[in-house]
Amino acid sequence: MFEYVDRKKGVQMAHDIYHHAKTNNSNVGMYFATFALGTIREQSGNMGLAKERIESELRIAREIQKRMLPHVFPRRRDVDIYAMMTPAKEMGGDLYAYALLDDQLYFCVGDVSGKGVPAALFMAEVTRMFRTLVDGHLTPNAIATRLNHALVEDNEQGMFVTMFIGLINLKSGHMEFCNAGLTA
């Protein structure tokens, strides 16, 4: 019965109806056209407000995601640590994390499958689990294995992460690592 008409066409159609009704002295047609114009304007305003609200929520979510990543780095003589991330979209699945436990530096760099909010949420889960597993003084291989077991559980969307996990002994300079995810 009704079909969607974009705003520009809807406004033009309502103006045409109004002028036709005015020319033919049709009060009903003029009322209908006035009502249609008001409805189109109201819907356009509501869509603008909804778009502004979504953009605002995405900005806030992007800031929350930025704060989840390390942004304060220790000052030590034996190692310089620094990292930053600039997502291609509002939010994304790129990640990094580190933990310095005595003379052991754990770190990871990774990328979650997908884009946008789902990838950002999965990234948050991965970085939280990494930090938790590091506290157990596990090897990079053990961390990757436990992350994998936890991430595949109830993962109906099939999301995954490719990740490089490293552990550097700052006294000896020895590094253990695990390259997890896609093969080269």
Side-chain angles (χ1 to χ4, degrees):
M1 183 187 282
F2 292 101
E3 78 180 60
Y4 173 77
V5 178
D6 70 35
R7 184 184 187 285
K8 197 173 192 179
K9 287 181 184 174
V11 169
Q12 184 59 50
M13 202 176 349
H15 278 292
D16 292 347
I17 292 170
Y18 179 82
H19 289 296
H20 179 75
K22 190 174 182 184
T23 310
N24 294 316
N25 291 326
S26 170
N27 288 336
V28 173
M30 288 177 21
Y31 290 134
F32 173 77
T34 303
F35 172 77
L37 279 170
T39 302
I40 290 168
R41 287 186 183 119
E42 181 182 325
Q43 288 175 346
S44 295
N46 288 345
M47 287 190 317
L49 290 174
K51 183 179 177 190
E52 285 177 29
R53 188 183 79 243
I54 290 169
E55 288 172 356
S56 173
E57 288 176 3
L58 283 173
R59 270 193 306 277
I60 292 167
R62 183 176 55 244
E63 290 305 313
I64 290 170
Q65 183 183 27
K66 277 185 184 177
R67 287 193 305 265
M68 293 171 75
L69 295 170
H71 55 276
V72 176
F73 301 95
R75 294 180 180 258
R76 289 177 58 134
R77 292 180 200 230
D78 54 350
V79 67
D80 288 325
I81 301 173
Y82 181 76
M84 65 176 282
M85 183 185 74
T86 306
K89 293 183 131 196
E90 287 86 6
M91 300 173 62
D94 296 334
L95 65 96
Y96 64 88
Y98 80 92
L100 193 54
L101 307 176
D102 300 320
D103 289 321
Q104 302 288 314
L105 173 62
Y106 286 89
F107 66 95
C108 71
V109 180
D111 186 23
V112 169
S113 63
K115 302 279 184 241
V117 175
L121 291 172
F122 203 72
M123 169 275 222
E125 186 175 11
V126 170
T127 54
R128 181 195 53 79
M129 281 193 263
F130 171 79
R131 288 190 198 108
T132 300
L133 293 169
V134 161
D135 287 341
H137 296 275
L138 301 172
T139 65
N141 186 40
I143 291 171
T145 300
R146 290 190 183 187
L147 272 171
N148 187 56
H149 288 303
L151 293 173
V152 298
E153 190 175 304
D154 297 324
N155 185 351
E156 294 165 8
Q157 295 78 25
M159 295 188 77
F160 62 92
V161 61
T162 57
M163 199 170 184
F164 183 89
I165 303 169
L167 168 59
I168 301 174
N169 181 315
L170 297 176
K171 285 185 178 177
S172 69
H174 178 78
M175 181 172 94
E176 291 180 60
F177 67 89
C178 180
N179 190 13
L182 303 175
T183 57

